[in-house]
Structures are given as C-alpha cells and as structure tokens.
Amino acid sequence: MKVEQDLERKFNDQCAVFGVYGHPEAANLTYLGLYSLQHRGQESSGIVTSDGSSHFIEVGMGLVQDIFNQEKLSHLHGDLAIGHNRYSTTGESLLKNAQPLAVDYSLGSLAIAHNGNLVNAVELRNRLEADGSIFRSTMDTEVIIHLIARAESKNFVSRVVEALLQVRGAYSLLLLTEQEMVAVRDPHGFRPLAMGNLDGAHVFASETCAFDLIGAKYVRDVEPGEMVVASPQGIKSYFPFQKKNRAQCVFEFIYFARPDSTVFGQPVYSIRKRMGMELAKEHPVDADLVIAVPDSGVPAALGYAEESRIKFDMGMIRNHYVGRTFIEPSQQIRHFGVKIKLNPVRGLIEGKRVVVVDDSIVRGTTCRKIIEMIRLAGAKEVHMRISSPPTTSPCYYGIDTPTKGELIASSKSVEEIRKYLGCETLAYLSRDRMLDIFGKNRDDFCTACFTGNYPVLMPGMDMLQPNLFETVT
Ligand code: AMP
C-alpha cells in the first residue's frame, strides 16, 4: 500500500543552520559556526552570502573543513550570510541536495537553509509539478522555494508567510534575500533555533555552541511560530501562524545536540546528566563500576554514578579519528565496525560488575556488540542502563531514525531486548521521569519516537493509526 510505503520511508533531514546579519566577516563567521555544528550533519555543507545586491554561493560534499578554504571564503562577499550542514544518510547523497538552496526568481535572489522535515512535501510537490514547477533536487525544502515564488503578495516577507501557511511539519529556517534575512520556526517548534549578538550583528544558529566559538552572546530562542526579520530597517518579530502546542524534540537533549549547547532555552549537559540521575533512582543496581558508551553516554553515566555513588571511570575509549570508510583486512575481524570506534579498557573492567550507560538503543546491533566486547574484557556482570525510554517509532520531523520494523523496541519487550543484547539486566528511563526533569515545561516536548503519538500527522497516517490526532489548539 502506497501510504504505508511513504510512512516507512527513511527521513533524512537532520541538519544545522547558521546565519549572520550585518557583520563584515559574515562568511568566515558562518564557516566557523558550521564547523562547530558539524555533529548535526556531515554529508554536505554550504554558505550563501549577500553584499546587498548579489548572492555568492559555495556548496560542497563532505565536512566543513574539507569544503571551505581561505580562497573559497574570500569569494563569499558581503555582510550577510547563511550556512547549512546536511546529515549523512544511506540514501541519496548528492551535491544537488546540498544546502543552502539558492535561486533567482521574480523578486530577485533567494537562498534557504532548512533543519527539519515537512510532512506534506510530497503532496505539495505533486501539486506544484502538476502546475508546471520543475524541481532540481529531491529535498522537501525546495517546495518552500516554489511556494514563495508562486505566492501572490508583492512583499517578500508576506510571501514567506503565504508559503509557510501551506506546509506542515518541522522547520527551523533561515532565508536570505539581497538585503533581508528571515529566521523562522514552525508553530510546534520541533527543531531548535537560537538568536545571538556579535558586535551589534544578529546571529542565528541551531545550537548555541556555534555562538561560543565566534564569541557571540546568546540572546534568546526564535520562538515556535515566530518569524524574525532582519533588514536595513532593523529587526522585527512576527507571529503569523495559528498558535499550536509546543512539540520541541526531546531527542535533542538525549542524543543529538552537543552537551555544551543550550537548546530550547535549557543547557543540554545538565539535562543529560539529570537523565542519568533519574535513571539511577528509577533503576538502581548493585555494581562496582559505572562506564559510558562515549561520547553521547558520558553525561548520563556521570549522573548515574553521582546518584548511585558507584565509581565512574572511562572504561571504554573512543577513537576520534575514525573516518567514513576503513579498509578491513580480508580475514574479517569480529565486530570490526564497532571495534574501530570503541575499545574497552581491560584493566578497569576485569572482574567487575559493570553498569554501562548509553543514551538510546535504536536497532540494538551496536549495543549488543559493545556488551560482548565488555564481557571479553573480563566483566563479571554487565548491567545496561539507557537514559531514555525505548525508541519504538520513527521520527518524521527531522531526526534520522530507521523504519519502525528496524527499531528493536517496536516489536520486542524489554526482557526480549535484554536477551538479545546478552546482559544481566537492562533498564530504560521512563517517559514520565524524563519529562519530570523539565518541571512546568514537561508538556512542551515531542516524544513521538517513544509513544507513536505524532503531533503532526503524516498524510494517510490517520487511516493507519486511528488513535492518533493532530494537535491544533
Ligand atoms: P544500536 O545499539 O545499534 O541501536 O545503536 C545505539 C547507538 O546509536 C547509541 O549509542 C546512540 O547514541 C546512537 N544513536 C541514537 N540515535 C541516533 C541517530 N539518530 N543517529 C545515529 N546514531 C544514533
């Protein structure tokens, strides 16, 4: 059935955006911003600048440091810049899908950088193509460009509103014309977008770690449903959309964002550590040592250790220089893919009852190999602790998750997963405990990957999952 195939499709729009309005070193600063947001996307990267009358563009495949150099940056003229990192996927990895997308249309030059995923992009694209639009990429983001180009308003900002009123799903966007920059977050606020200031210039970033690198000051978040317009007339804020319930992605805190960032106004590191502390309260165990699966599991493991008063140590070491591909010897090495990244420290683990903390289990394949490696390093017992609830449902709003069938917790109980992983005990942080950490803001988050309750439905989803509803308040 077509609808089911669409729902099972892998979505690949986990990305970073960065923008500078009104700084003579806009391109260099954007390069640095993208550099610090590399964890949000490694497939491709790009910068578009404006000198007030023309756009300058540089996009490429690969890492920020490999794409840009002094010479390329010197061609990116002007005080205005937006940049983008795109996430690496198993799907199409093509230059035509690199962002920012830059076009010329009836009002002039336009560039767009998008983090998120539009759930009705296929519908809209079919309609636009039937009306004669020609698409040059396979990205949902291009739909927005066509909707802006076809909008009726004379004024650019009104055109953006007209376009965005037609799209549904997740978007944190930066748009650039010759003289204006628009920063906008969808009404649910799925993905983050922060605003800052550097020597009087306005800066925008997916995460505040980008501000830290360039010495900018974090001012506030672009609010869900807010559109911030920076132009020669100054900076203005609009709320042009119907208000919706907040549905900020809780997975940003669990895994995705850098721990030194502030997202959705909250410091990631301390939230992640609290998740580990709550996990220790909810699922204590008698053990000798707490170790983390580095790097993402470290803050939660420290929280677990602090709360349980069990010693933490770096029982597993990550190789930070692992590239995309590695040449495996012809005589295959068992668990080579995981081993090349992670290796247990035998001297710490041998003879111990070990608590291993990781942030999440997706397919369970990595986790299983890690547990086996820890056993081979001499652990007496292995107790797996996960600082988030079981991931049962794919994300349609911009986190790269596999299809439902591949998510181990979609079909197996915790006990079945434990048996598959081969550990003495396995426990996850409950959704309630996790949300308790956010206090009065506990209802501001999307937890669809743990519940299957999607705040914005995919087309056809109501037929497949009649218990779900769209939040339109
Ligand atoms: P596995 O045991 O194969 O399910 O892999 C679990 C590991 O994947 C954990 O260490 C997570 O930190 C990591 N992880 C979680 N979500 C993602 C994601 N969206 N993309 C890449 N890795 C992830």
Side-chain angles (χ1 to χ4, degrees):
M1 188 169 136
K2 169 91 173 51
V3 166
E4 274 171 313
Q5 278 164 3
D6 280 350
L7 289 177
E8 287 292 293
R9 195 165 77 83
K10 198 166 182 281
F11 289 90
N12 307 312
D13 293 276
Q14 189 172 275
C15 301
V17 297
F18 187 86
V20 177
Y21 187 93
H23 197 288
E25 287 209 86
N28 277 1
L29 295 170
T30 303
Y31 158 76
L32 292 173
L34 293 178
Y35 201 96
S36 61
L37 296 171
Q38 188 75 80
H39 61 290
R40 297 184 74 89
Q42 303 95 40
E43 177 186 282
S44 64
S45 186
I47 298 176
V48 175
T49 61
S50 175
D51 66 357
S53 53
S54 300
H55 274 184
F56 303 86
I57 304 156
E58 195 65 62
V59 293
M61 300 302 291
L63 299 178
V64 175
Q65 67 189 48
D66 300 328
I67 296 166
F68 299 100
N69 54 32
Q70 199 63 55
E71 201 233 322
K72 284 188 176 158
L73 288 173
S74 71
H75 298 146
L76 294 170
H77 305 291
D79 293 357
L80 280 54
I82 63 170
H84 187 269
N85 290 338
R86 187 171 161 83
Y87 194 71
S88 157
T89 70
T90 53
E92 278 193 311
S93 178
L94 301 168
L95 190 57
K96 71 175 183 183
N97 284 340
Q99 293 195 29
L101 264 175
V103 295
D104 287 314
Y105 75 120
S106 59
L107 291 191
S109 298
L110 172 62
I112 184 168
H114 175 202
N115 173 209
N117 185 67
L118 308 179
V119 301
N120 63 338
V122 176
E123 255 172 32
L124 289 170
R125 184 172 170 138
N126 289 344
R127 199 188 80 202
L128 287 160
E129 283 182 330
D131 283 352
S133 288
I134 296 169
F135 282 76
R136 66 166 219 233
S137 76
T138 55
M139 276 183 294
D140 57 348
T141 312
E142 199 179 346
V143 165
I144 299 173
I145 296 246
H146 284 269
L147 293 174
I148 293 172
R150 285 166 173 263
E152 285 170 5
S153 314
K154 294 277 166 287
N155 159 295
F156 170 66
V157 172
S158 312
R159 279 187 182 228
V160 175
V161 175
E162 237 184 270
L164 293 180
L165 283 170
Q166 299 173 66
V167 305
R168 297 194 305 122
Y171 54 85
S172 281
L173 290 177
L174 292 177
L175 296 126
L176 181 72
T177 67
E178 291 87 345
Q179 302 204 343
E180 295 157 297
M181 189 175 293
V182 175
V184 56
R185 243 175 110 197
D186 69 74
H188 290 286
F190 284 104
R191 307 255 68 90
L193 187 57
M195 267 172 83
N197 195 287
L198 176 67
D199 309 329
H202 303 291
V203 287
F204 302 93
S206 295
E207 293 178 34
T208 59
C209 64
F211 295 161
D212 297 336
L213 178 61
I214 62 167
K217 186 173 165 285
Y218 168 58
V219 175
R220 67 173 177 88
D221 280 3
V222 175
E223 294 294 317
E226 183 182 11
M227 193 160 128
V228 175
V229 180
S231 74
Q233 284 73 49
I235 192 151
K236 288 198 179 115
S237 158
Y238 304 89
F239 285 87
F241 313 111
Q242 193 190 354
K243 198 169 161 52
K244 303 263 170 104
N245 289 343
R246 277 183 192 240
Q248 300 170 143
C249 172
V250 79
F251 217 74
E252 291 276 353
F253 288 112
I254 294 164
Y255 166 76
F256 199 34
R258 249 172 65 161
D260 52 336
S261 283
T262 294
V263 299
F264 309 131
Q266 309 247 27
V268 177
Y269 185 88
S270 40
I271 299 282
R272 222 167 259 180
K273 194 166 172 195
R274 275 289 302 281
M275 286 172 173
M277 294 173 98
E278 293 304 315
L279 183 62
K281 284 187 214 158
E282 200 175 17
H283 300 290
V285 62
D286 258 345
D288 308 309
L289 178 70
V290 175
I291 69 168
V293 177
D295 294 323
S296 53
V298 173
L302 285 165
Y304 195 100
E306 191 173 310
E307 183 62 38
S308 63
R309 296 171 191 267
I310 303 171
K311 187 180 149 203
F312 170 87
D313 224 323
M314 286 296 286
M316 190 166 289
I317 303 299
R318 184 179 199 102
N319 180 341
H320 287 271
Y321 305 96
V322 177
R324 290 288 175 100
T325 51
F326 19 75
I327 301 148
E328 202 173 341
S330 48
Q331 192 186 353
Q332 282 194 350
I333 297 173
R334 194 164 158 71
H335 303 332
F336 186 73
V338 175
K339 261 189 203 158
I340 202 155
K341 277 188 218 148
L342 296 168
N343 196 29
V345 182
R346 176 174 281 274
L348 290 174
I349 287 172
E350 213 162 21
K352 303 256 175 65
R353 297 169 301 165
V354 183
V355 181
V356 184
V357 181
D358 202 356
D359 60 273
S360 56
I361 297 178
V362 184
R363 291 182 176 86
T365 46
T366 315
C367 189
R368 183 184 180 166
K369 290 169 188 168
I370 288 170
I371 290 170
E372 195 188 327
M373 275 158 50
I374 291 167
R375 272 203 199 287
L376 287 173
K380 205 158 76 182
E381 290 172 15
V382 181
H383 301 278
M384 197 71 210
R385 291 292 178 274
I386 305 297
S387 61
S388 67
T391 306
T392 55
S393 307
C395 175
Y396 297 118
Y397 312 125
I399 292 275
D400 185 31
T401 47
T403 56
K404 194 168 174 73
E406 292 170 276
L407 293 168
I408 192 167
S410 73
S411 57
K412 286 193 185 348
S413 67
V414 174
E415 176 54 16
E416 285 167 338
I417 299 172
R418 184 198 67 75
K419 278 198 188 127
Y420 170 79
L421 297 178
C423 46
E424 269 68 25
T425 68
L426 164 70
Y428 292 83
L429 180 64
S430 69
R431 181 175 166 274
D432 258 357
R433 282 247 187 190
M434 175 184 74
L435 293 177
D436 283 348
I437 296 168
F438 299 99
K440 65 178 178 21
N441 299 321
R442 58 176 289 125
D443 296 327
D444 290 351
F445 296 94
C446 175
T447 57
C449 51
F450 309 125
T451 61
N453 288 325
Y454 291 97
V456 175
L457 297 184
M458 294 290 293
M461 207 180 236
D462 42 348
M463 289 176 350
L464 291 169
Q465 306 192 42
N467 58 325
L468 301 180
F469 59 92
E470 181 164 15
T471 321
V472 276
T473 51

